[in-house]
Amino acid sequence: MSDSDRTATVSRQTAETTIAITVDLDGTGQFEIATGLGFFDHMLSHIAKHGVFDVSIKAEGDLHVDAHHTVEDTAIALGEAFRGALGDKAGIVRAGSAHMPLDEALAFAAVDLSGRPYAELDLRLLGRTVGELPADLLAHFLESFAASLGANVHVRTLAGANDHHKAEACFKALARALDAATRVDPRRGGDLPSTKGAL
């Protein structure tokens, strides 16, 4: 982790999961991620690498039941960590968007760190699973992350045939949108990016 004060550590423990997450918004894209779900780890690593965040995630969940609780609770804790690292949001850009291609796939993501949680998603995943992960859990992760972060999140697949490529392009686009939105804009001089005076 860097010397940034835009860091947060979140621990979440339930009867179903035990999760520890640290996020540094001013990192270099380093990550240590272990959830017990290989494809999920792969998607989370893109948030760190392409968002240029330092991210540590250790999740232990009731995978003998299924992946749902692990994915959902990781999303909740990751959103809380991003929200904590943002602090009062003074001086940030606030909104960002990005397109990301991956071979035949093309994805778009837009993020507004508005404090108003909303997710609008169209991932266009055709199979029941991607890797070993149920495909519907990728959308559920994004919904839970947006709710916990308090952000307006739009993610959609614009083109593609391969579900792995589409999912990966979506998470990379989300990462780049988050990178843009969480950056400090020196022109603001620490001003809050809202005409309301609150986010």
Side-chain angles (χ1 to χ4, degrees):
M1 296 295 174
S2 72
D3 294 330
S4 167
D5 59 0
R6 299 203 308 154
T7 65
T9 297
V10 169
S11 296
R12 177 180 174 87
Q13 185 156 7
T14 72
E16 299 162 342
T17 60
T18 299
I19 296 170
I21 295 180
T22 298
V23 169
D24 182 348
L25 299 180
D26 300 313
T28 59
Q30 303 302 304
F31 58 89
E32 294 181 12
I33 298 171
T35 67
L37 298 163
F39 188 77
F40 188 39
D41 291 354
H42 185 45
M43 294 300 100
L44 293 171
S45 72
H46 293 308
I47 293 177
K49 182 61 71 175
H50 295 277
V52 201
F53 308 119
D54 288 346
V55 178
S56 172
I57 300 175
K58 175 66 175 175
E60 297 179 358
D62 54 356
L63 298 180
H64 63 285
V65 176
D66 67 14
H68 184 98
H69 299 141
T70 299
V71 171
E72 180 178 70
D73 287 1
T74 298
I76 292 169
L78 186 62
E80 289 174 355
F82 268 86
R83 192 174 74 234
L86 284 164
D88 63 6
K89 303 180 188 174
I92 64 167
V93 173
R94 173 179 159 171
S97 63
H99 285 87
M100 178 61 75
L102 177 57
D103 295 348
E104 88 297 346
L106 177 65
F108 171 77
V111 173
D112 180 8
L113 302 172
S114 61
R116 297 186 304 277
Y118 194 89
E120 183 67 31
L121 311 170
D122 184 11
L123 306 187
R124 301 187 190 180
L125 301 178
L126 301 177
R128 295 181 59 115
T129 62
V130 189
E132 82 286 12
L133 194 69
D136 66 306
L137 287 185
L138 292 171
H140 187 55
F141 169 86
L142 295 170
E143 291 165 346
S144 300
F145 176 70
S148 182
L149 173 55
N152 184 194
V153 175
H154 286 244
V155 180
R156 61 184 61 248
T157 296
L158 302 178
N162 180 281
D163 278 353
H164 185 131
H165 291 171
K166 287 184 280 186
E168 187 169 326
C170 283
F171 272 73
K172 287 177 177 177
L174 173 65
R176 291 178 62 85
L178 283 168
D179 174 37
T182 58
R183 289 184 189 184
V184 174
D185 186 343
R187 298 173 301 171
R188 291 198 185 278
D191 187 45
L192 197 68
S194 172
T195 56
K196 294 187 177 102
L199 282 177

